[in-house]
Amino acid sequence: MRKRLFFWELAGFLFTSAMGSLLHFAYEWSGGSLAAAVVSAVNESTWEHMKLLFVPMFLFSVVQACVLGKNYPNFLAVRAVSIVTGLALIPVLYYTYTGVWGQMRDWANIAVFFLAALGAFLLDFYLLRRNRLSAPWQQVLGLIVLWALAFCFVWCTFRPVRIALWRDPLTGTYGI
């Protein structure tokens, strides 16, 4: 069981990394399609980079919950915690390195994304194995958090908050 979970988490990391990388360009490739805007980055803001982590992890979670859900009754709460952790790592790492260097670096942005995905799946693996967060109310809360985040990512693409997290550092614009 433990080995199977490891391979699922590794597959999740690889899927999230690959899909997140592709979604970075999907909006541009689609010619500015609103459907693409819902799931892909519409600009270079930190928030949109967080979406690149969330969307593939969320989609992979649906598949993983169907396959592993019975074996891991703590899955929803653990996945919510690991996704929130990965999402928090992106702005923390990004603003830390840009504060130290004083500028953005493309290779560092890519590293931040992969480190956040790795951190999220490592935490996920650890918490699932230890059977943490397994109370029924925690599963309900986990499901609510996941769907609330999905809503926020869609909503804020079209109605971004006017703070630095949503500001494109290249153009100074917000959202689409």
Side-chain angles (χ1 to χ4, degrees):
M1 182 72 72
R2 189 174 181 175
K3 195 173 192 177
R4 183 174 180 214
L5 177 62
F6 172 79
F7 286 115
W8 269 101
E9 297 297 302
L10 178 61
F13 169 73
L14 295 173
F15 175 80
T16 299
S17 297
M19 186 62 90
S21 297
L22 290 173
L23 288 175
H24 188 276
F25 305 103
Y27 179 70
E28 184 180 331
W29 290 342
S30 74
S33 162
L34 292 180
V38 169
V39 295
S40 62
V42 298
N43 63 33
E44 291 295 322
S45 71
T46 306
W47 178 260
E48 293 295 319
H49 282 85
M50 292 165 64
K51 187 195 311 183
L52 298 177
L53 178 71
F54 176 78
V55 170
M57 276 191 83
F58 183 81
L59 294 175
F60 193 78
S61 298
V62 172
V63 172
Q64 201 172 6
C66 292
V67 175
L68 292 179
K70 295 174 187 167
N71 298 328
Y72 295 96
N74 60 337
F75 181 78
L76 291 173
V78 166
R79 185 52 55 94
V81 168
S82 63
I83 285 178
V84 168
T85 300
L87 293 176
L89 282 171
I90 290 175
V92 167
L93 294 172
Y94 171 77
Y95 289 118
T96 299
Y97 98 75
T98 56
V100 170
W101 277 330
Q103 59 185 337
M104 267 187 2
R105 306 261 191 216
D106 286 339
W107 68 266
N109 286 343
I110 294 166
V112 163
F113 174 76
F114 288 120
L115 287 171
L118 181 62
F121 279 102
L122 285 174
L123 178 62
D124 200 71
F125 181 66
Y126 174 81
L127 293 174
L128 284 172
R129 276 191 353 205
R130 302 274 187 291
N131 203 25
R132 306 291 174 145
L133 306 170
S134 57
W137 69 270
Q138 291 170 323
Q139 301 318 297
V140 171
L141 184 59
L143 186 62
I144 291 169
V145 166
L146 291 171
W147 281 104
L149 283 169
F151 173 80
C152 286
F153 278 107
V154 173
W155 179 265
C156 291
T157 294
F158 300 100
R159 304 245 192 276
V161 180
R162 303 287 179 184
I163 62 173
L165 189 65
W166 279 268
R167 186 174 173 269
D168 183 335
L170 303 176
T171 65
T173 60
Y174 296 85
I176 293 179

